[in-house]
Amino acid sequence: MTFELRDRTVVLIGGGSGIGLAVARRVIADGARVVLGGRSRERLDGAVAELGPGATARAVDTADPASVEDFFADIDTVDALLTTAATYTVGSFKDLDPDAARSPFESKFWGQYRVVKAALPKFSADAAVVLVSGAASVRPAGPAAPYVAANAAIEGLARGLAVELAPVRVTAIAPGTVDGNLWAGRPDEARDAAFAHIRREAVLGRPGTEDEIAAAVVHLFTNTYTTGSTLYVDGGYALR
Ligand SMILES: NC(=O)c1ccc[n+]([C@@H]2O[C@H](COP(=O)([O-])OP(=O)(O)OC[C@H]3O[C@@H](n4cnc5c(N)ncnc54)[C@H](OP(=O)(O)O)[C@@H]3O)[C@@H](O)[C@H]2O)c1
């Protein structure tokens, strides 16, 4: 069996930047069409302008179930799906107030859950879903218990959905720290500390790139004998 990306529809919610945009570049080069989603129209328009005629985009907020339903309403078929969209607070069990502590679950876990649910009627028989977790699921970098737990839950969701939705394949990707758009938008002090930590602790001694994560996502989209697995693309961070 094979899964060719040519003429397929790849939905990338959060694809206006970062890892999602890097996946868009790769799958368009392989002949797919992409539908990007995100909250900022300006960001989406910039991505579509860069990607060319193979790309379209529409605004969506994964926090809003009606918005997610609307997003899929006029998409006929979904062949591959990735949701990097998430907005949350990372902090310690001791310090976070209840809303902030819930935010990784509310945004990253339930956001992806509702996207898969809304896409369900549109999946082709051999569709592939890649959920996004993070290597913190198995190796917390510091005090961040709610974020760690939400990532572990996402990996569990991939296993559960792999069983329920087969032959649709469902996997999870767990990036380590990536030198890209997400960290560029965080305070210098936090970024410097995170990059110093990954340089010290990862076997490969550096942060990853968005394109390295994207290459692994494309592998999970197209490998027809992988489902339920979590792929750690973390430079060996989880090994130490
Ligand atoms: N980068 C890393 O080091 C790293 C490491 C481990 C895990 N991850 C995971 O990777 C994901 C982030 O991907 P990224 O690194 O590519 O970051 P990114 O560039 O910030 O991408 C996130 C995208 O999602 C969109 N978005 C955010 N909240 C949204 C919402 N509620 N509804 C719709 N769109 C939303 C953002 O656009 P708008 O603001 O315009 O909506 C943005 O384009 C997160 O799940 C993160 O936990 C990243």
Side-chain angles (χ1 to χ4, degrees), residues 13-240:
I13 300 187
S17 65
I19 295 164
L21 181 55
V23 173
R25 292 186 187 111
R26 280 184 169 263
V27 299
I28 282 187
D30 286 342
R33 295 175 290 276
V34 301
V35 183
L36 307 179
R39 295 169 302 179
S40 153
R41 192 67 248 180
E42 198 182 349
R43 194 199 290 274
L44 293 172
D45 288 348
V48 167
E50 181 206 316
L51 293 166
T56 57
R58 57 198 68 186
V60 61
D61 184 349
T62 61
D64 174 1
S67 163
V68 175
E69 289 290 335
D70 286 354
F71 179 89
F72 285 101
D74 64 348
I75 296 176
D76 293 332
T77 304
V78 176
D79 296 301
L81 174 64
L82 174 81
T83 304
T84 49
T87 306
Y88 49 77
T89 302
V90 180
S92 80
F93 175 76
K94 287 179 186 163
D95 296 339
L96 290 184
D97 67 48
D99 281 348
R102 267 195 293 268
S103 67
F105 271 96
E106 291 294 344
S107 181
K108 191 167 172 175
F109 178 88
W110 287 108
Q112 294 191 77
Y113 185 104
R114 67 173 65 91
V115 165
V116 177
K117 184 99 177 184
L120 188 56
K122 308 298 177 85
F123 287 140
S124 51
D126 64 349
V129 178
V130 177
L131 301 179
V132 180
S133 66
S137 63
V138 290
R139 186 175 175 200
Y147 179 69
V148 169
N151 283 299
I154 289 161
E155 295 171 13
L157 181 64
R159 290 188 284 274
L161 289 178
V163 171
E164 282 199 40
L165 302 189
V168 170
R169 291 172 287 113
V170 184
T171 54
I173 186 143
T177 301
V178 174
D179 187 356
N181 183 64
L182 183 143
W183 280 102
R186 289 184 176 166
D188 291 353
E189 199 178 305
R191 184 175 56 251
D192 290 349
F195 286 6
H197 180 74
I198 198 92
R199 283 191 191 100
R200 197 169 57 242
E201 300 292 333
V203 172
L204 296 181
R206 63 173 176 85
T209 68
E210 291 166 340
D211 190 55
E212 287 171 322
I213 309 303
V217 170
V218 171
H219 165 74
L220 293 174
F221 279 162
T222 56
N223 188 286
T224 49
Y225 201 53
T226 304
T227 195
S229 305
T230 296
L231 182 56
Y232 295 87
V233 187
D234 65 351
Y237 173 72
L239 293 177
R240 283 184 168 169

